[in-house]
Amino acid sequence: MPKSIGGSDDSENLALACRRCNERHYNFTNGIDQETQQECLLFNPRQQQWSEHFIWTADGLNIVPKTPIGRATCNRLDLNDERYDEEDSIRRSRRFWVEGGWHPPAEDARQLE
């Protein structure tokens, strides 16, 4: 729960996030599922499992949403920087991380090629 809408800054209410994601998340708790056009809660890493809502593409560059929560979160936070040219996006960084063997996390599933 964002502090600006009544949440606390206690460690139980905080989540580690990069500046990019933190700025895009702002104080939103809901998003729109582009498939159903319904409003739903955004993914909450303290209460939900990543693997239930997301999977990585085979190349590890894009997050693929699997559920309404996943779709709403990908849309609200633009997790794949689809609104930007690939050379100016998070996908460029992910490409370097994949080449370095640091990404995606070993416990995260990938799509089959």
Side-chain angles (χ1 to χ4, degrees):
M1 177 68 65
K3 189 173 181 180
S4 65
I5 57 173
S8 73
D9 58 3
D10 293 336
S11 61
E12 297 83 35
N13 191 48
L14 301 178
L16 184 61
C18 68
R19 178 179 174 176
R20 178 192 158 284
C21 287
N22 189 49
E23 288 174 346
R24 291 181 181 185
H25 197 287
Y26 186 54
N27 68 352
F28 296 109
T29 57
N30 295 322
I32 301 295
D33 171 8
Q34 296 290 55
E35 189 174 298
T36 65
Q37 297 304 307
Q38 297 293 311
E39 185 174 320
C40 62
L41 291 171
L42 297 179
F43 175 72
N44 183 330
R46 293 210 178 262
Q47 299 173 348
Q48 298 162 320
Q49 293 295 314
W50 170 270
S51 61
E52 291 178 19
H53 300 282
F54 308 99
I55 191 169
W56 291 98
T57 53
D59 62 8
L61 301 182
N62 290 289
I63 298 168
V64 179
K66 297 170 29 177
T67 64
I69 287 172
R71 290 188 295 270
T73 302
C74 280
N75 180 52
R76 168 64 74 190
L77 303 183
D78 192 18
L79 293 179
N80 295 313
D81 275 346
E82 293 169 333
R83 298 174 189 135
Y84 300 92
D85 177 46
E86 185 169 340
E87 290 306 310
D88 296 327
S89 75
I90 191 66
R91 289 170 286 156
R92 182 172 187 226
S93 296
R94 289 177 186 158
R95 187 178 315 283
F96 288 121
W97 300 336
V98 168
E99 289 172 7
W102 306 305
H103 181 77
E107 65 272 11
D108 290 357
R110 290 193 200 189
Q111 291 179 324
L112 301 175
E113 294 194 43

